[in-house]
CSV table of all heavy atoms in Angstrom, one decimal:
chain,number,residue,atom,x,y,z
A,1,ARG,N,6.1,17.8,-0.9
A,1,ARG,CA,4.8,17.8,-1.4
A,1,ARG,C,4.7,16.7,-2.6
A,1,ARG,O,5.6,16.6,-3.4
A,1,ARG,CB,4.4,19.2,-2.0
A,1,ARG,CG,3.1,19.2,-2.7
A,1,ARG,CD,2.7,20.7,-3.1
A,1,ARG,NE,1.6,20.8,-4.0
A,1,ARG,CZ,0.8,21.8,-4.0
A,1,ARG,NH1,1.0,22.8,-3.3
A,1,ARG,NH2,-0.3,21.8,-4.9
A,2,ALA,N,3.6,15.9,-2.5
A,2,ALA,CA,3.5,14.8,-3.5
A,2,ALA,C,2.0,14.5,-3.5
A,2,ALA,O,1.3,14.6,-2.5
A,2,ALA,CB,4.3,13.6,-3.1
A,3,PRO,N,1.5,14.0,-4.7
A,3,PRO,CA,0.1,13.6,-4.7
A,3,PRO,C,-0.1,12.3,-4.1
A,3,PRO,O,0.7,11.3,-4.2
A,3,PRO,CB,-0.1,13.6,-6.3
A,3,PRO,CG,1.2,13.3,-6.8
A,3,PRO,CD,2.2,14.0,-6.0
A,4,LEU,N,-1.2,12.2,-3.3
A,4,LEU,CA,-1.6,10.9,-2.7
A,4,LEU,C,-3.1,10.7,-3.0
A,4,LEU,O,-3.8,11.7,-3.2
A,4,LEU,CB,-1.4,11.0,-1.2
A,4,LEU,CG,0.0,10.9,-0.7
A,4,LEU,CD1,0.1,11.0,0.8
A,4,LEU,CD2,0.8,9.7,-1.2
A,5,ASP,N,-3.5,9.5,-3.0
A,5,ASP,CA,-4.9,9.1,-3.2
A,5,ASP,C,-5.7,9.6,-2.0
A,5,ASP,O,-5.5,9.1,-0.9
A,5,ASP,CB,-5.1,7.7,-3.4
A,5,ASP,CG,-6.5,7.3,-3.8
A,5,ASP,OD1,-7.4,8.1,-3.8
A,5,ASP,OD2,-6.8,6.1,-4.0
A,6,GLY,N,-6.6,10.5,-2.2
A,6,GLY,CA,-7.4,11.1,-1.1
A,6,GLY,C,-8.6,10.3,-0.9
A,6,GLY,O,-9.5,10.6,0.0
A,7,GLY,N,-8.9,9.2,-1.6
A,7,GLY,CA,-10.0,8.3,-1.4
A,7,GLY,C,-11.3,8.9,-2.0
A,7,GLY,O,-12.4,8.4,-1.7
A,8,VAL,N,-11.1,9.9,-2.9
A,8,VAL,CA,-12.3,10.4,-3.6
A,8,VAL,C,-12.1,10.3,-5.1
A,8,VAL,O,-12.7,11.1,-5.9
A,8,VAL,CB,-12.5,11.9,-3.2
A,8,VAL,CG1,-12.9,12.0,-1.7
A,8,VAL,CG2,-11.2,12.7,-3.4
A,9,GLY,N,-11.3,9.4,-5.5
A,9,GLY,CA,-11.1,9.1,-7.0
A,9,GLY,C,-10.1,10.1,-7.6
A,9,GLY,O,-10.1,10.2,-8.9
A,10,ALA,N,-9.4,10.8,-6.9
A,10,ALA,CA,-8.4,11.7,-7.5
A,10,ALA,C,-7.1,11.8,-6.6
A,10,ALA,O,-7.2,11.7,-5.4
A,10,ALA,CB,-9.0,13.1,-7.7
A,11,ASN,N,-6.0,12.1,-7.2
A,11,ASN,CA,-4.8,12.2,-6.5
A,11,ASN,C,-4.7,13.7,-6.0
A,11,ASN,O,-4.7,14.6,-6.8
A,11,ASN,CB,-3.5,11.9,-7.3
A,11,ASN,CG,-3.3,10.4,-7.5
A,11,ASN,OD1,-3.8,9.7,-6.6
A,11,ASN,ND2,-2.7,10.1,-8.6
A,12,ILE,N,-4.7,13.9,-4.7
A,12,ILE,CA,-4.7,15.2,-4.1
A,12,ILE,C,-3.3,15.6,-3.6
A,12,ILE,O,-2.6,14.8,-3.0
A,12,ILE,CB,-5.6,15.2,-2.9
A,12,ILE,CG1,-7.1,15.0,-3.3
A,12,ILE,CG2,-5.5,16.5,-2.1
A,12,ILE,CD1,-8.1,14.8,-2.2
A,13,PRO,N,-2.8,16.8,-4.0
A,13,PRO,CA,-1.5,17.2,-3.4
A,13,PRO,C,-1.5,17.2,-2.0
A,13,PRO,O,-2.4,17.8,-1.3
A,13,PRO,CB,-1.3,18.6,-4.1
A,13,PRO,CG,-2.2,18.7,-5.2
A,13,PRO,CD,-3.4,17.8,-4.8
A,14,VAL,N,-0.4,16.7,-1.4
A,14,VAL,CA,-0.4,16.5,0.1
A,14,VAL,C,1.0,17.0,0.5
A,14,VAL,O,2.0,16.6,-0.1
A,14,VAL,CB,-0.6,15.1,0.6
A,14,VAL,CG1,-0.3,14.9,2.0
A,14,VAL,CG2,-2.1,14.7,0.3
A,15,VAL,N,1.1,17.8,1.6
A,15,VAL,CA,2.4,18.2,2.2
A,15,VAL,C,2.6,17.2,3.4
A,15,VAL,O,1.8,17.2,4.3
A,15,VAL,CB,2.4,19.7,2.6
A,15,VAL,CG1,3.6,20.0,3.4
A,15,VAL,CG2,2.2,20.5,1.4
A,16,THR,N,3.8,16.6,3.4
A,16,THR,CA,4.2,15.7,4.5
A,16,THR,C,5.3,16.4,5.2
A,16,THR,O,6.3,16.8,4.6
A,16,THR,CB,4.7,14.4,3.9
A,16,THR,OG1,3.6,13.7,3.2
A,16,THR,CG2,5.1,13.5,5.1
A,17,ASP,N,5.1,16.6,6.5
A,17,ASP,CA,6.2,17.1,7.4
A,17,ASP,C,6.5,16.0,8.4
A,17,ASP,O,5.6,15.5,9.1
A,17,ASP,CB,5.6,18.4,8.2
A,17,ASP,CG,5.4,19.5,7.3
A,17,ASP,OD1,6.4,20.1,6.8
A,17,ASP,OD2,4.2,19.9,7.0
A,18,ARG,N,7.8,15.8,8.6
A,18,ARG,CA,8.3,14.8,9.5
A,18,ARG,C,9.5,15.2,10.3
A,18,ARG,O,10.4,15.9,9.7
A,18,ARG,CB,8.6,13.4,8.9
A,18,ARG,CG,7.4,12.8,8.2
A,18,ARG,CD,7.8,11.5,7.5
A,18,ARG,NE,8.3,10.5,8.4
A,18,ARG,CZ,8.8,9.3,8.0
A,18,ARG,NH1,8.9,9.1,6.7
A,18,ARG,NH2,9.2,8.4,8.9
A,19,THR,N,9.5,15.0,11.6
A,19,THR,CA,10.7,15.3,12.4
A,19,THR,C,11.0,14.0,13.2
A,19,THR,O,10.2,13.6,13.9
A,19,THR,CB,10.5,16.4,13.4
A,19,THR,OG1,10.3,17.7,12.6
A,19,THR,CG2,11.7,16.7,14.2
A,20,ILE,N,12.2,13.4,13.0
A,20,ILE,CA,12.5,12.1,13.5
A,20,ILE,C,13.8,12.3,14.3
A,20,ILE,O,14.8,13.0,13.9
A,20,ILE,CB,12.8,11.1,12.4
A,20,ILE,CG1,11.6,11.0,11.5
A,20,ILE,CG2,13.2,9.7,13.0
A,20,ILE,CD1,11.9,10.3,10.2
A,21,ARG,N,13.8,11.7,15.5
A,21,ARG,CA,15.0,11.6,16.3
A,21,ARG,C,15.6,10.2,16.3
A,21,ARG,O,14.8,9.2,16.5
A,21,ARG,CB,14.7,12.0,17.8
A,21,ARG,CG,14.6,13.6,18.0
A,21,ARG,CD,14.4,13.9,19.4
A,21,ARG,NE,15.5,13.4,20.2
A,21,ARG,CZ,15.3,13.2,21.6
A,21,ARG,NH1,14.2,13.4,22.2
A,21,ARG,NH2,16.4,12.7,22.2
A,22,ARG,N,16.9,10.1,16.2
A,22,ARG,CA,17.6,8.8,16.1
A,22,ARG,C,18.8,8.8,17.0
A,22,ARG,O,19.4,9.9,17.1
A,22,ARG,CB,17.9,8.4,14.7
A,22,ARG,CG,16.8,8.2,13.7
A,22,ARG,CD,17.2,7.5,12.4
A,22,ARG,NE,16.2,7.5,11.5
A,22,ARG,CZ,16.1,8.3,10.4
A,22,ARG,NH1,17.1,9.2,10.2
A,22,ARG,NH2,15.1,8.3,9.6
A,23,ASP,N,19.1,7.7,17.5
A,23,ASP,CA,20.4,7.5,18.2
A,23,ASP,C,21.2,6.6,17.2
A,23,ASP,O,21.0,5.3,17.2
A,23,ASP,CB,20.2,6.8,19.5
A,23,ASP,CG,21.5,6.5,20.3
A,23,ASP,OD1,22.6,6.9,19.8
A,23,ASP,OD2,21.4,5.8,21.3
A,24,GLY,N,22.1,7.2,16.4
A,24,GLY,CA,22.7,6.4,15.3
A,24,GLY,C,21.6,6.0,14.4
A,24,GLY,O,20.7,6.8,14.0
A,25,PRO,N,21.5,4.7,14.0
A,25,PRO,CA,20.4,4.3,13.1
A,25,PRO,C,19.1,3.9,13.9
A,25,PRO,O,18.1,3.5,13.2
A,25,PRO,CB,21.0,3.1,12.4
A,25,PRO,CG,21.9,2.5,13.4
A,25,PRO,CD,22.5,3.7,14.2
A,26,PHE,N,19.2,4.0,15.2
A,26,PHE,CA,18.1,3.4,16.0
A,26,PHE,C,17.0,4.5,16.3
A,26,PHE,O,17.4,5.6,16.8
A,26,PHE,CB,18.6,2.8,17.3
A,26,PHE,CG,19.7,1.9,17.1
A,26,PHE,CD1,21.0,2.2,17.5
A,26,PHE,CD2,19.5,0.7,16.5
A,26,PHE,CE1,22.0,1.3,17.3
A,26,PHE,CE2,20.5,-0.3,16.2
A,26,PHE,CZ,21.8,0.0,16.7
A,27,PRO,N,15.8,4.3,16.0
A,27,PRO,CA,14.8,5.3,16.2
A,27,PRO,C,14.5,5.6,17.6
A,27,PRO,O,14.5,4.7,18.4
A,27,PRO,CB,13.5,4.8,15.4
A,27,PRO,CG,13.7,3.3,15.5
A,27,PRO,CD,15.1,3.0,15.5
A,28,VAL,N,14.2,6.9,17.9
A,28,VAL,CA,13.8,7.3,19.3
A,28,VAL,C,12.4,7.9,19.3
A,28,VAL,O,11.6,7.5,20.1
A,28,VAL,CB,14.8,8.4,19.8
A,28,VAL,CG1,14.4,8.9,21.2
A,28,VAL,CG2,16.2,7.8,19.9
A,29,SER,N,12.1,8.8,18.4
A,29,SER,CA,10.8,9.4,18.4
A,29,SER,C,10.5,10.1,17.0
A,29,SER,O,11.4,10.3,16.2
A,29,SER,CB,10.6,10.5,19.5
A,29,SER,OG,11.5,11.6,19.3
A,30,GLU,N,9.2,10.4,16.8
A,30,GLU,CA,8.8,11.0,15.6
A,30,GLU,C,7.5,11.8,15.8
A,30,GLU,O,6.7,11.3,16.5
A,30,GLU,CB,8.6,10.0,14.4
A,30,GLU,CG,8.1,10.7,13.1
A,30,GLU,CD,8.0,9.7,11.9
A,30,GLU,OE1,8.6,8.6,12.0
A,30,GLU,OE2,7.3,10.1,11.0
A,31,THR,N,7.5,13.0,15.2
A,31,THR,CA,6.2,13.7,15.0
A,31,THR,C,6.1,14.0,13.5
A,31,THR,O,7.1,14.2,12.8
A,31,THR,CB,6.2,15.0,15.8
A,31,THR,OG1,7.3,15.9,15.4
A,31,THR,CG2,6.3,14.8,17.3
A,32,GLY,N,4.8,14.1,13.1
A,32,GLY,CA,4.6,14.3,11.6
A,32,GLY,C,3.2,14.7,11.4
A,32,GLY,O,2.3,14.6,12.2
A,33,SER,N,3.0,15.1,10.1
A,33,SER,CA,1.6,15.5,9.7
A,33,SER,C,1.5,15.3,8.2
A,33,SER,O,2.5,15.4,7.4
A,33,SER,CB,1.3,16.9,10.1
A,33,SER,OG,2.1,17.8,9.4
A,34,LEU,N,0.3,15.0,7.8
A,34,LEU,CA,-0.1,15.0,6.4
A,34,LEU,C,-1.2,16.1,6.2
A,34,LEU,O,-2.2,16.1,6.9
A,34,LEU,CB,-0.7,13.7,5.9
A,34,LEU,CG,0.2,12.5,5.8
A,34,LEU,CD1,-0.6,11.2,5.5
A,34,LEU,CD2,1.3,12.7,4.8
A,35,THR,N,-0.9,17.1,5.3
A,35,THR,CA,-1.9,18.2,5.1
A,35,THR,C,-2.3,18.2,3.6
A,35,THR,O,-1.4,18.4,2.8
A,35,THR,CB,-1.3,19.5,5.5
A,35,THR,OG1,-0.8,19.4,6.9
A,35,THR,CG2,-2.3,20.6,5.4
A,36,ALA,N,-3.6,18.0,3.3
A,36,ALA,CA,-4.0,18.1,1.9
A,36,ALA,C,-4.1,19.5,1.5
A,36,ALA,O,-4.5,20.4,2.2
A,36,ALA,CB,-5.4,17.4,1.8
A,37,VAL,N,-3.7,19.8,0.2
A,37,VAL,CA,-3.7,21.1,-0.3
A,37,VAL,C,-4.3,21.0,-1.8
A,37,VAL,O,-3.7,21.3,-2.7
A,37,VAL,CB,-2.3,21.7,-0.4
A,37,VAL,CG1,-1.9,22.2,1.0
A,37,VAL,CG2,-1.2,20.8,-0.9
A,38,PRO,N,-5.6,20.7,-1.9
A,38,PRO,CA,-6.2,20.4,-3.2
A,38,PRO,C,-6.4,21.8,-3.9
A,38,PRO,O,-6.6,22.8,-3.3
A,38,PRO,CB,-7.5,19.8,-2.9
A,38,PRO,CG,-7.8,20.3,-1.5
A,38,PRO,CD,-6.5,20.4,-0.8
A,39,ASP,N,-6.3,21.7,-5.3
A,39,ASP,CA,-6.5,22.9,-6.1
A,39,ASP,C,-8.0,23.3,-5.9
A,39,ASP,O,-8.3,24.5,-6.0
A,39,ASP,CB,-6.1,22.6,-7.5
A,39,ASP,CG,-4.7,22.3,-7.7
A,39,ASP,OD1,-3.9,22.9,-6.9
A,39,ASP,OD2,-4.2,21.5,-8.6
A,40,ASP,N,-8.9,22.3,-5.8
A,40,ASP,CA,-10.3,22.5,-5.7
A,40,ASP,C,-10.7,22.2,-4.3
A,40,ASP,O,-10.7,21.0,-3.9
A,40,ASP,CB,-11.1,21.7,-6.7
A,40,ASP,CG,-12.6,21.9,-6.6
A,40,ASP,OD1,-13.0,22.7,-5.8
A,40,ASP,OD2,-13.3,21.2,-7.4
A,41,PRO,N,-11.1,23.2,-3.4
A,41,PRO,CA,-11.5,22.9,-2.1
A,41,PRO,C,-12.6,21.8,-1.9
A,41,PRO,O,-12.7,21.1,-0.9
A,41,PRO,CB,-12.0,24.2,-1.6
A,41,PRO,CG,-11.2,25.2,-2.4
A,41,PRO,CD,-11.2,24.6,-3.8
């Protein structure tokens, strides 16, 4: 969780989830999401 600029003039807390597959250092695939969790809806 880290604050990111939500484009509304305020830093909004955001949860980043990532799952990455690699073969050694070489990337294979990734799924991920960004989910805003503002204190004020």
Side-chain angles (χ1 to χ4, degrees):
R1 176 173 171 151
L4 290 179
D5 184 358
V8 291
N11 284 334
I12 296 175
V14 172
V15 174
T16 300
D17 291 290
R18 295 177 66 186
T19 297
I20 304 167
R21 284 183 55 200
R22 298 190 187 106
D23 178 7
F26 308 112
V28 176
S29 64
E30 176 177 345
T31 58
S33 66
L34 292 176
T35 306
V37 285
D39 297 326
D40 180 0

